[in-house]
């Protein structure tokens, strides 16, 4: 629903597009979906026209995008974090730089998210086109979409919208990893503090 509502533009422009498409698809008997005024109306319309399958259109292509993206992002983040930790030890940076985990999460997370988002843009393009086509099927599945985009648009077609995707994921990933490092740091401190108290109590009990 989100994808279709994002690409439809104004109601006037969408209705004009529908009229042109319907005029060219009279032989096939398939028409484009109507203009959506809200999420509930969109869900109801998709359910009536396309059934449950319409609501889950692009589900597998979404997994094919998100799983590699998440894996690459974590891999890049951990690799950069290890490099930074090595640099701290190598150049013996002071304690001021040793406790900047939240800031590191912000910067490294943003870089990792941006690079991963760019690398998985082709998967996002295929997913989006499968989701917005509606009942007027231009692509018959993931492989068909891949072949048609490659044959008609080449490499450039797979990276359409890459800039917007990177701009979205850099701050999102930065905030995510900053929060992760903040929570990890504070929870680790609390666990260590609790462990120290337990050890002290155990020693006192033993001595008594």
């Amino acid at each position: 629903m989100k994808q279709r509502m994002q690409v439809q533009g104004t109601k006037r422009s969408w209705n004009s597009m529908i009229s042109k498409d319907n005029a060219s698809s009279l032989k096939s008997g398939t028409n484009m979906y109507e203009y959506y005024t809200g999420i509930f109306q969109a869900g109801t319309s998709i359910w009536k026209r396309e059934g449950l399958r319409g609501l889950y259109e692009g589900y597998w292509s979404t997994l094919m995008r998100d799983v590699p993206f998440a894996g690459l992002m974590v891999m890049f983040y951990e690799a950069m974090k290890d490099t930074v930790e090595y640099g701290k030890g190598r150049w013996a940076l002071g304690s001021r730089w040793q406790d900047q985990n939240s800031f590191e999460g912000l910067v490294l997370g943003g870089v990792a998210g941006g690079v991963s988002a760019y690398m998985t843009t082709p998967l996002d393009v295929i997913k989006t086109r499968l989701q917005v086509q509606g009942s007027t099927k231009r692509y018959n599945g993931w492989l068909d979409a891949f072949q048609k985009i490659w044959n008609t648009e080449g490499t450039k077609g797979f990276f359409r919208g890459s800039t917007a995707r990177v701009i979205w994921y850099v701050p999102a990933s930065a905030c995510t990893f900053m929060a992760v490092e903040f929570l990890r740091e504070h929870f680790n401190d609390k666990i260590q503090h609790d462990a120290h108290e337990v050890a002290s109590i155990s020693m006192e009990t033993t001595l008594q």
Side-chain angles (χ1 to χ4, degrees):
M1 289 185 284
K2 177 183 77 73
Q3 302 292 348
R4 294 191 186 184
M5 294 182 72
Q6 285 179 328
V7 302
Q8 63 186 3
T10 64
K11 187 173 183 178
R12 183 176 180 180
S13 63
W14 185 254
N15 289 337
S16 176
M17 186 183 299
I18 289 178
S19 299
K20 293 179 181 179
D21 184 80
N22 290 348
S24 62
S25 60
L26 290 175
K27 293 182 180 180
S28 62
T30 58
N31 297 321
M32 290 182 66
Y33 49 87
E34 62 185 296
Y35 184 86
Y36 301 135
T37 57
I39 186 171
F40 294 108
Q41 187 263 342
T44 303
S45 177
I46 295 173
W47 175 268
K48 290 180 179 179
R49 288 173 59 90
E50 304 170 49
L52 184 63
R53 183 176 182 180
L55 293 173
Y56 281 88
E57 188 72 46
Y59 172 77
W60 293 110
S61 58
T62 300
L63 290 182
M64 293 179 69
R65 178 202 65 177
D66 289 348
V67 171
F69 169 75
L72 287 171
M73 182 171 62
V74 173
M75 180 186 71
F76 287 139
Y77 178 78
E78 292 297 334
M80 289 188 291
K81 187 174 176 61
D82 289 342
T83 302
V84 170
E85 292 299 326
Y86 173 79
K88 288 180 179 180
R90 178 68 174 79
W91 287 288
L93 297 177
S95 59
R96 178 183 176 184
W97 293 99
Q98 296 293 337
D99 299 325
Q100 299 293 325
N101 292 333
S102 296
F103 179 74
E104 290 175 7
L106 181 71
V107 176
L108 300 182
V111 174
V115 173
S116 303
Y118 183 80
M119 292 181 65
T120 54
T121 297
L123 303 176
D124 184 61
V125 170
I126 294 175
K127 176 203 75 76
T128 302
R129 296 198 182 186
L130 288 173
Q131 288 180 325
V132 302
Q133 63 182 348
S135 57
T136 306
K137 298 297 182 183
R138 182 181 177 187
Y139 305 110
N140 296 316
W142 198 92
L143 289 177
D144 182 60
F146 179 90
Q147 292 175 347
K148 287 182 178 178
I149 294 173
W150 175 261
N151 292 333
T152 58
E153 304 172 54
T155 305
K156 186 177 180 180
F158 286 113
F159 286 91
R160 294 189 185 277
S162 58
T163 301
R165 179 169 164 79
V166 170
I167 291 174
W168 156 248
Y169 272 105
V170 166
S173 302
C175 291
T176 298
F177 281 104
M178 180 180 68
V180 168
E181 292 298 340
F182 176 82
L183 294 174
R184 179 187 294 175
E185 182 178 359
H186 283 71
F187 274 113
N188 284 344
D189 290 342
K190 187 177 186 305
I191 291 173
Q192 291 176 2
H193 180 265
D194 292 344
H196 179 71
E197 287 187 348
V198 171
S200 299
I201 293 173
S202 300
M203 290 181 63
E204 291 177 359
T205 303
T206 304
L207 292 175
Q208 291 175 356

